[in-house]
Amino acid sequence: MSYVASRLSAVKPSASMAASQAAKALRAKGVDVIDLGLGEPDFPTPLHIIDAAHFAAKAGQTLYTAAAGTAEVREAVAGKFRRENGLDYTPDDIVVANGAKQIIFNALMATLETGDEAILPAPYFVSYPEMVKLLGGTPVVVECPETTGFRLTPALLEKAITPRTKWLFLNMPGNPSGAVYSQSDLKALGAVLAKHPQVLVLSDEIYEHILFDGREFVSFGKACPELKDRTLIVNGVSKSYAMTGWRVGYAAGPAPLVKAMSTIQSQSCTSVCSIAQAATVAALNGPQDEVARFRQAFEARRNLVVDGIRKINGLTLSPPEGAFYAYIGCASLIGRKTPKGVVLEDDAAVANYLLNEGRVASVPGVAYGLSPYFRISTATSEEVLTEAISRINAAVAQVE
Ligand SMILES: Cc1ncc(COP(=O)(O)O)c(C=O)c1O
């Protein structure tokens, strides 16, 4: 007897969580492994946010809330979009969910008919194709090579669009590449989309505050206001405010789409935790100096990792422009042998070798749709990163 519905047959568990679990399993056996698999800030949530949560709980904000989120949190999100992105949304255009992941899931569930296509520029966030498949859609993967800065170009986009295209996913800064789109890059994509009115745009901007080298963030909504009625801007507090465990994401978009997403939410989880919503209001409306401090720390770590990896013979790394990952090229290791005589056939074998012999957990590029690479998270201390680079160096040096 099968317990599992056929819609799950093609869906894989999250590769980054799997890498992290493999590291934990080795640790449980007493092996000293550095886990650079999962990407989450290693800082504590700023204290004023935790205080706001305490206060909300003590003040009795402990009941179900409106499915789309409390009036306060949707007002705070509208304020954030106005202040930081120059975008005008009313609370009716906003929905809050249990993380950006649930926002994306709800958006796809609300819109996809069986066989509808979602264009996923690769490398992409591991959950995008799995969610699309789970909800009956077809992922259309468009490889965006390092030579285009891992960015989707207008020509690649034009080629990928069909009459069945329902969504274009954009993610900036990108996980895993760190790629950022400029205003003119986005306008050029917008010009292609203008010719295809059936295509909606999901712009995942969850890493917007983690930008390097003085870059300014431009939201897709700001660059292409003419596409507002088919754009869903996705964001959340996980990465900017070190709040991954609080599970709050949000989106702004056309009111009918947002309403459909709230309906799904009302029938699946009722609402986001009332206390986490109160914490989100404090995060968005409160002092932002910790966000700037986190950004600086991430930039220093990015610099350390770029310097260290570029010294390793056999690996390549274009400096990430944002987020907290390094997407490391390992083409010159493919086809070569480990000291145990195992041929490194692909990047999954490289990540496996680095885990078992180098004692560093990473995620292979195959999980992101663009090989041969592996991703490490740089959201850990400089000491740990330095040790990890030295282990990767030692392991790579032994490949024959
Ligand atoms: C691109 C991207 N979008 C969304 C998420 C999920 O964010 P949340 O914690 O808000 O669900 C992640 C987390 O790794 C991510 O990298």
Side-chain angles (χ1 to χ4, degrees), residues 265-320:
Q265 189 137 284
S266 74
Q267 296 294 11
S268 55
C269 64
T270 302
S271 69
V272 175
C273 163
S274 55
I275 295 160
Q277 291 189 62
T280 298
V281 173
L284 297 177
N285 290 347
Q288 303 293 305
D289 32 334
E290 297 267 320
V291 176
R293 194 174 63 79
F294 297 161
R295 193 207 64 75
Q296 267 177 356
F298 287 130
E299 182 158 349
R301 293 162 177 188
R302 189 276 314 250
N303 294 344
L304 182 153
V305 167
V306 170
D307 282 356
I309 295 293
R310 284 183 152 186
K311 288 191 187 119
I312 300 178
N313 212 345
L315 299 180
T316 56
L317 176 59
S318 296

Side-chain angles (χ1 to χ4, degrees), residues 162-332:
T162 77
R164 289 307 306 264
T165 308
K166 179 59 80 59
W167 284 100
L168 164 66
F169 276 60
L170 291 175
N171 173 214
M172 53 205 187
N175 170 10
S177 69
V180 176
Y181 288 76
S182 69
Q183 171 133 332
S184 61
D185 292 333
L186 295 175
K187 278 186 180 300
L189 295 176
V192 174
L193 293 165
K195 294 184 271 173
H196 302 279
Q198 81 280 19
V199 184
L200 303 171
V201 180
L202 189 153
S203 186
D204 181 342
E205 305 183 354
I206 196 149
Y207 295 100
E208 78 165 300
H209 289 296
I210 308 170
L211 273 186
F212 307 139
D213 311 312
R215 283 184 177 78
E216 294 278 331
F217 184 76
V218 184
S219 168
F220 182 82
K222 183 71 181 166
C224 300
E226 69 285 4
L227 300 179
K228 185 174 182 187
D229 64 351
R230 44 192 175 112
T231 298
L232 188 72
I233 312 279
V234 176
N235 209 319
V237 292
S238 285
K239 316 289 178 174
S240 297
Y241 298 94
M243 289 175 71
T244 47
W246 296 74
R247 309 306 305 128
V248 183
Y250 53 82
L257 171 58
V258 161
K259 191 163 168 240
M261 291 163 65
S262 309
T263 303
I264 292 168
Q265 189 137 284
S266 74
Q267 296 294 11
S268 55
C269 64
T270 302
S271 69
V272 175
C273 163
S274 55
I275 295 160
Q277 291 189 62
T280 298
V281 173
L284 297 177
N285 290 347
Q288 303 293 305
D289 32 334
E290 297 267 320
V291 176
R293 194 174 63 79
F294 297 161
R295 193 207 64 75
Q296 267 177 356
F298 287 130
E299 182 158 349
R301 293 162 177 188
R302 189 276 314 250
N303 294 344
L304 182 153
V305 167
V306 170
D307 282 356
I309 295 293
R310 284 183 152 186
K311 288 191 187 119
I312 300 178
N313 212 345
L315 299 180
T316 56
L317 176 59
S318 296
E321 298 165 344
F324 42 65
Y325 306 100
Y327 203 48
I328 300 170
C330 56
S332 79

Side-chain angles (χ1 to χ4, degrees), residues 118-159:
I119 296 176
L120 308 179
Y124 46 65
F125 173 42
V126 289
S127 296
Y128 295 158
E130 306 311 313
M131 288 196 205
V132 169
K133 285 186 279 180
L134 195 51
L135 294 163
T138 305
V140 174
V141 174
V142 178
E143 292 193 3
C144 301
E146 200 165 343
T147 47
T148 69
F150 298 113
R151 277 180 282 271
L152 181 67
T153 62
L156 286 170
L157 173 59
E158 184 74 70
K159 222 168 114 202

